[in-house]
Each structure stands twice: as C-alpha cells, then as structure tokens.
Amino acid sequence: MCTDDTQLYQSAKPNEIKWLLKSMENCIEDVKNWMVANKLKMNDEKTELLLCNPKNNMCEQGLSICIDDVKITFSENVRNLGIYFSSDLSMEYHVTQLCKALYCEIRRIGQLSAFYNQNSLKSQVSAFVFTRLDYCNSLMSNSPGFLLDKL
C-alpha cells in the first residue's frame, strides 16, 4: 500500500539551508522507515521538494537531498491538494493552470450545449466552473490585480 500526500515542513534561516537539507533527509529517512514498519511504501520518484524563498531563489544553486539512491532537486512549483505552490510564493502558476482547466471545462460544456436546456447548462457551469473558482479562493487574497483579471 502506498501513502498519498504525506508532507513534511521545516523552516530555517537562509544561512542554515545546508542544515535544513540534512535535517530533511534524516526526517524523510525516519518517515520512510516508519512506513516500511507499517507496511506502507513511499514513492521516491513522486517526492517533490519546494524551497519557499520569495526574496532569493536558491533552487538554481544545485541544492538537493538524497533518499536512498534517488536525488531530489528543488521544484519551482508543486501541487498540493489541487493547488499549485511556487517557490516565490506567488499564485501566478496556479492561476495559469486554473485558467487552462477552466477553459477546457467551458469548451466541453459548449460542445454539449446542443443537447441540454438552459437550466441544465447553468447547472453544468456551476458544477464544473464555479466550484473550481471557489475552491481555496482565500489563497488568492492580496494577489495582484492582473492575476485576478486572468480569472
């Protein structure tokens, strides 16, 4: 059995990044050992690492952690429960991905419009478009106007 959405968080000052990486490696190893003892499996290939640092992106410095023989480098964007988080803590990548998904839904509903009456189409839009816009929309507070305009 595999576990999904296991997340580890840790914070450090910029001058403690090397310590942070070693600490995360040790923590992940402990979690992995616990999973094995409880007949669970961690998928190393799906493991992502995000360094949230809006002032100075350190992802380009080649920093990484190793789990067994798998080297994991920092990602620019990671997905967590349907929301994309970026290393610079902006919501720009999330908004771009959301707009793509919404466009596909609207297009799909448009293709089926000949087969539905107006009330059914409203229900489809409410179910497939508005719910995606509403999901975790509080994360968009204080976002720049150009991002909100895209939505």
Side-chain angles (χ1 to χ4, degrees), residues 59-73:
C59 297
E60 300 163 2
Q61 295 181 1
L63 298 175
S64 63
I65 64 172
C66 289
I67 302 173
D68 294 334
D69 293 330
V70 178
K71 182 179 177 182
I72 301 170
T73 58

Side-chain angles (χ1 to χ4, degrees), residues 49-117:
L49 185 63
L50 180 72
L51 178 65
C52 296
N53 189 354
K55 295 181 182 176
N56 181 15
N57 191 350
M58 294 186 173
C59 297
E60 300 163 2
Q61 295 181 1
L63 298 175
S64 63
I65 64 172
C66 289
I67 302 173
D68 294 334
D69 293 330
V70 178
K71 182 179 177 182
I72 301 170
T73 58
F74 286 100
S75 301
E76 285 293 320
N77 305 291
V78 296
R79 188 173 179 185
N80 182 11
L81 301 175
I83 305 296
Y84 288 95
F85 293 94
S86 301
S87 58
D88 63 357
L89 300 177
S90 74
M91 295 301 289
E92 193 164 351
Y93 186 78
H94 172 71
V95 168
T96 300
Q97 297 304 312
L98 180 60
C99 287
K100 287 179 185 179
L102 291 174
Y103 177 76
C104 289
E105 293 294 344
I106 291 170
R107 189 169 159 209
R108 185 179 314 155
I109 292 168
Q111 291 171 340
L112 298 173
S113 65
F115 304 106
Y116 290 108
N117 62 32

Side-chain angles (χ1 to χ4, degrees), residues 132-146:
R132 286 202 177 190
L133 281 172
D134 288 341
Y135 179 68
C136 290
N137 63 4
S138 61
L139 294 174
M140 297 299 297
S141 66
N142 296 324
S143 292
F146 77 91

